[in-house]
Amino acid sequence: MGKTLFEKIWEAHVVQVVPDGPTQLYIDRLYAHEVTSPQAFDTLRDKGIKVFRPDHVVAMPDHNTPSDQQEVINDPVGRKQVETLAKNCAEFGIKHFAMGTKDNGIIHVVGPEKALSLPGMTIVCGDSHTSTHGAVGALAMGIGTSEVAEVLASQCILQGKPKSMRINIEGELQNGVTAKDIALYIMAQMTTSGATGYVVEYAGSTIRNLSMEGRLTLSNLSIEMGSRAGIIAPDETTFNYLKGREYAPKGADWDKAVAYWKTLQTDSDAVFDKEVTYRAEDIKPRITFGTNPGAGIAIDETVPTFDGLSEAEKTQLKAQLDYMQFEPGQKLEGTPVDYCFLGACTNGRIEDFRAFASVVKGKKKSANVVAWLVPGSWLVRQQIIDEGIDKVLEEAGFELRLPSCSSCLAMNPDKVPAGKLSISTSNRNFVGRQGPGARTVLASPLVVAASAITGVITDPRKI
């Protein structure tokens, strides 16, 4: 029987299998940021252990980083976390991309764009959206703080082997539909727990036609349906994206690497534990109405009603709608928005800013909207400037901010006030995610751009 891409990478990294227990898996790359790593370093320090392979570890602050200025972090907790990361990296000899430097940004944006994440790798980070890196054909998983310590000490991790799932998307996307919409559509179909315990491989003609940025967005959101990781087989799109980047193999090493990467395909006779197929033509621009990423609808649909729901489902839906201040059966298109956010490890890449600019060019931002446009890295920010996108944004009344996780989560100054409605390209719309009492509608860069111009939730196809 043939093997899936996941199985090929997994088996190539098995050190040993504990009888009736987990697998000891070798890890090629550990990413560390300021929030989940301090306790891990303390564990090593308490036990007198050095980092086993510091050259396989890369660290940078991102969650607490301000997007308006980066001279100082005013929040004492956030400032201490960032300072502690720098001290730990210096003490243990780890590559550290400090706040405000050209190498810094959101860790899940910087890793792929510097080719620190490569096909066939095993990659971990103490952050759930580590699944992003699976877009290059790597097995990338979020882990807990104690597991970060494991990897720092041994370059290995103990893991139970997940099941495998393939999600096929076939056909051609409609105008105005993006990878973000694909992800929101899948989550609505499968629910936020529909892939729990699986590594998901995305396949099909639609996926093969996605850009690398689109694939990164899709893989980023894998965790939001409960999966352990999301992965996409590497192909010419992958190779073209990685070639010439800072940490990519060079010369003969590149040719050798590509020859290996081309073997990282699921065999034709491989069997998945579960397989589903969706049609691209069924996907429209999407928005969320509730407080989890799976609670979504097409932008021209209405909020679900209580009809046909069990009592438990009614209670759950009512709680979500009460928090969001929406009504059953309400049409959300045309609803006034207070904040618009473009960025995050989901949609903070150059393609996302190109898309946003394509909508707002020649128009003006609504005076009623506060807009935060935050690149995912300093490299993305420089690309925006080099391509003149910053001028398009400025003429439309927008300000280009500094790289940061920003309004994806309420750990830095970019917090949405209580009761205000934000339409956001980020990955989570949980209660209080963008600020205590904040209400979040998730959407693509095109939908957010259209809404920023009109001041209401707007279908980008209509402008």
Side-chain angles (χ1 to χ4, degrees), residues 179-214:
K180 181 64 164 289
D181 301 299
I182 297 174
L184 292 174
Y185 177 83
I186 294 172
M187 283 186 278
Q189 302 302 307
M190 297 187 62
T191 77
T192 50
S193 60
T196 300
Y198 292 89
V199 167
V200 172
E201 178 177 346
Y202 298 101
S205 60
T206 311
I207 305 304
R208 290 192 295 274
N209 288 328
L210 284 179
S211 66
M212 203 64 226
E213 286 88 351

Side-chain angles (χ1 to χ4, degrees), residues 390-455:
D390 61 322
K391 297 294 190 293
V392 173
L393 300 176
E394 184 180 347
E395 288 170 6
F398 296 93
E399 174 196 1
L400 181 64
R401 295 170 79 90
L402 306 180
S404 163
C405 285
S406 183
S407 186
C408 179
L409 77 173
M411 289 189 68
N412 55 72
D414 295 350
K415 296 180 179 66
V416 176
K420 297 296 184 181
L421 183 64
S422 168
I423 188 161
S424 171
T425 66
S426 52
N427 41 52
R428 286 180 172 163
N429 53 344
F430 300 160
V431 171
R433 172 74 176 182
Q434 289 192 285
R439 301 180 294 141
T440 301
V441 168
L442 300 179
S444 75
L446 295 177
V447 173
V448 172
S451 304
I453 292 298
T454 62

Side-chain angles (χ1 to χ4, degrees), residues 140-362:
M141 302 176 288
I143 58 175
T145 298
S146 61
E147 294 171 313
V148 173
E150 279 181 34
V151 179
L152 288 171
S154 68
Q155 208 56 40
C156 292
I157 192 172
L158 294 175
Q159 287 281 294
K161 185 179 180 182
K163 295 180 289 186
S164 62
M165 178 191 296
R166 181 160 61 190
I167 297 178
N168 304 293
I169 311 290
E170 301 287 356
E172 187 175 345
L173 293 173
Q174 298 181 39
N175 180 43
V177 177
T178 70
K180 181 64 164 289
D181 301 299
I182 297 174
L184 292 174
Y185 177 83
I186 294 172
M187 283 186 278
Q189 302 302 307
M190 297 187 62
T191 77
T192 50
S193 60
T196 300
Y198 292 89
V199 167
V200 172
E201 178 177 346
Y202 298 101
S205 60
T206 311
I207 305 304
R208 290 192 295 274
N209 288 328
L210 284 179
S211 66
M212 203 64 226
E213 286 88 351
R215 296 178 186 189
L216 289 160
T217 294
L218 182 58
S219 296
N220 172 271
L221 287 157
S222 301
I223 189 67
E224 305 306 337
M225 53 185 182
S227 62
R228 196 70 189 88
I231 191 168
I232 297 172
D235 57 14
E236 291 301 321
T237 297
T238 319
F239 310 150
N240 291 336
Y241 176 85
L242 294 171
K243 190 173 184 178
R245 292 184 182 266
E246 188 172 354
Y247 291 94
K250 304 293 191 296
D253 289 338
W254 170 260
D255 296 333
K256 182 179 178 181
V258 171
Y260 166 61
W261 295 342
K262 286 181 177 179
T263 70
L264 297 175
Q265 302 284 328
T266 290
D267 296 330
S268 59
D269 57 342
V271 177
F272 289 83
D273 294 300
K274 185 175 181 179
E275 188 157 7
V276 294
T277 299
Y278 300 109
R279 299 297 306 175
E281 292 84 354
D282 295 335
I283 307 174
K284 297 179 179 181
R286 296 188 67 83
I287 52 175
T288 57
F289 62 83
T291 54
N292 71 69
I297 53 175
I299 196 166
D300 58 2
E301 292 178 341
T302 56
V303 174
T305 66
F306 298 127
D307 294 346
L309 299 183
S310 67
E311 288 305 315
E313 290 170 334
K314 289 178 182 178
T315 300
Q316 183 184 53
L317 178 58
K318 185 177 186 304
Q320 293 192 65
L321 297 184
D322 285 350
Y323 181 83
M324 291 299 296
Q325 301 176 28
F326 296 151
E327 296 293 333
Q330 179 181 347
K331 188 175 180 65
L332 295 186
E333 192 177 359
T335 301
V337 296
D338 304 298
Y339 284 75
C340 291
F341 172 53
L342 172 66
C345 58
T346 313
N347 285 121
R349 299 175 182 83
I350 185 61
E351 183 178 276
D352 302 309
F353 279 82
R354 291 171 184 156
F356 189 98
S358 74
V359 174
V360 305
K361 186 175 183 178

Side-chain angles (χ1 to χ4, degrees), residues 31-61:
Y31 291 115
H33 57 63
E34 76 274 26
V35 179
T36 58
S37 67
Q39 301 92 329
F41 283 109
D42 285 344
T43 297
L44 267 62
R45 198 175 286 112
D46 291 344
K47 295 180 180 295
I49 300 173
K50 294 182 179 180
V51 174
F52 182 54
R53 289 196 165 170
D55 57 322
H56 288 228
V57 185
V58 176
M60 70 196 77

Side-chain angles (χ1 to χ4, degrees), residues 34 64 73-84 411:
E34 76 274 26
N64 290 286
I73 297 175
N74 292 315
D75 175 63
V77 175
R79 183 170 64 248
K80 183 174 182 180
Q81 287 182 335
V82 171
E83 291 172 349
T84 299
M411 289 189 68

